Amino acid sequence: MDIITSVSEMQQRMLTARQAGKLISFVPTMGYLHQGHLSLLEEGRKRGDLLVLSIFVNPTQFGQGEDFEDYPRDLEKDSELARQVGVDIIFAPTASGMYPNGYSTYVDVEKITENLCGASRPGHFRGVSTVVSKLFNIVQPHVALFGAKDFQQLAVIRRMTLDMNMPVEIVGMPIFREVDGLAMSSRNVYLSPSEREQALVLSRSIAAARELVAAGESDSATILAKLTQMITEQPAARIDYVQICHQLSLEDQDQIDEDSVLLLAVFVGKTRLIDNGFLQVRHD
């Protein structure tokens, strides 16, 4: 397994691999790998001849006062985990390599970035779409894998790839959860034991919403009111948003239908956690 930090070296290596007929699968991450990331890598191993992992804490997707400086990093541990699941190349560029002096080009995806995290974290998705488009240009993947926990991010990347005619297959992978239901996240390391327990209210809220829908409730406002009460009963929890949206447009829905998805962003202590779940049984 190789670790490459140079943008130009990485791009040349990937162009050479493509010319040799290699199928490249790619998992972009900000590192501090957990089992959710490893599930993406394991699937990527099956889908390509060459498996590439990027590790880059992208400064342009963090807003003022967010946790860019404190975001957990451990390249040595990440490298060992990557080796165990068969990664061929880790691309770990520097911020100055990705955004050299005078950098002034950004990618904006409109409409689906206006709600949810886009509303509460202005500029976040401009940073995400910009860095992913840059990574696609550098890595030249045939297939790229993303976790569905970042539901809006996945939708934004699908939209960008389609709109910009990028020849990359985007694969969304299921949320990987702890045994007790907490969605795996690199930020879970921030949680104290008490906060860790209270964080389970996110997955329990999804379960409660599904139970309400299964019992015949179809009014979004009624469901959201009950979930809001559940969450605010946790002393360390503070809601950023709890919304029911159409899975494609990400517009709010008044009534539940087969395309409804519940999306949550909740601060537990100082840690912002996200989660989501479809509210109807899906057969795809």
Side-chain angles (χ1 to χ4, degrees):
M1 184 183 75
D2 295 330
I3 299 177
I4 298 174
T5 59
S6 163
V7 170
S8 59
E9 181 185 346
M10 185 68 191
Q11 191 169 50
Q12 187 56 55
R13 180 82 171 264
M14 294 299 94
L15 289 170
T16 301
R18 285 184 73 105
Q19 288 166 0
K22 298 288 188 182
L23 194 67
I24 300 168
S25 56
F26 177 43
V27 178
T29 78
M30 294 204 299
Y32 213 73
L33 302 183
H34 53 67
Q35 189 58 48
H37 295 118
L38 300 185
S39 71
L40 304 183
L41 292 167
E42 287 164 356
E43 181 64 22
R45 180 72 280 169
K46 299 173 188 174
R47 290 175 177 257
D49 303 312
L50 196 65
L51 176 58
V52 178
L53 162 70
S54 68
I55 296 176
F56 179 58
V57 183
N58 175 38
T60 66
Q61 69 189 67
F62 288 79
Q64 189 172 4
E66 293 188 339
D67 60 342
F68 173 70
E69 296 295 340
D70 296 330
Y71 194 86
R73 296 162 170 87
D74 191 339
L75 183 58
E76 184 177 348
K77 180 183 176 185
D78 288 347
S79 300
E80 181 54 35
L81 290 171
R83 187 176 288 107
Q84 291 173 16
V85 294
V87 169
D88 295 301
I89 299 173
I90 293 177
F91 178 47
T94 62
S96 61
M98 291 293 280
Y99 302 105
N101 214 24
Y103 186 90
S104 58
T105 303
Y106 295 87
V107 178
D108 262 316
V109 179
E110 299 180 346
K111 293 184 180 178
I112 60 170
T113 60
E114 294 171 3
N115 200 2
L116 304 162
C117 288
S120 61
R121 302 181 69 190
H124 170 69
F125 285 117
R126 185 177 84 147
V128 169
S129 54
T130 298
V131 77
V132 171
S133 66
K134 285 175 67 66
L135 289 168
F136 283 176
N137 283 331
I138 296 163
V139 177
Q140 301 281 313
H142 296 86
V143 58
L145 300 96
F146 296 84
K149 179 175 70 70
D150 294 304
F151 191 92
Q152 189 175 17
Q153 172 180 277
L154 178 58
V156 168
I157 290 164
R158 287 191 194 280
R159 184 80 256 169
M160 178 190 74
T161 304
L162 179 65
D163 289 351
M164 300 299 288
N165 306 107
M166 294 178 174
V168 185
E169 179 189 0
I170 305 300
V171 176
M173 293 288 290
I175 297 173
F176 209 96
R177 298 184 180 277
E178 304 280 1
V179 174
D180 58 9
L182 182 66
M184 286 195 176
S185 168
S186 299
R187 287 186 168 97
N188 289 349
V189 70
Y190 297 153
L191 299 168
S192 70
S194 171
E195 290 168 348
R196 172 67 177 70
E197 179 63 31
Q198 293 179 61
L200 296 177
V201 74
L202 278 81
S203 58
R204 288 172 181 164
S205 294
I206 296 169
R210 286 173 170 162
E211 288 174 8
L212 288 166
V213 172
E217 183 58 67
S218 62
D219 180 65
S220 295
T222 300
I223 295 170
L224 294 174
K226 292 183 178 180
L227 301 187
T228 297
Q229 181 180 354
M230 276 183 65
I231 295 168
T232 54
E233 285 174 354
Q234 303 299 317
R238 175 172 60 86
I239 293 173
D240 184 350
Y241 62 76
V242 178
Q243 294 171 236
I244 294 171
C245 299
H246 187 282
Q247 62 166 309
L248 298 179
S249 69
L250 298 187
E251 293 178 350
D252 290 292
Q253 289 186 307
D254 295 329
Q255 295 290 316
I256 306 298
D257 62 23
E258 64 275 7
D259 291 314
S260 298
V261 59
L262 170 66
L263 300 116
L264 309 96
V266 177
F267 286 93
V268 181
K270 294 181 179 179
T271 307
R272 185 179 184 274
L273 302 175
I274 58 174
D275 205 341
N276 67 78
F278 290 101
L279 296 184
Q280 296 278 13
V281 175
R282 305 176 78 236
H283 302 288
D284 56 359

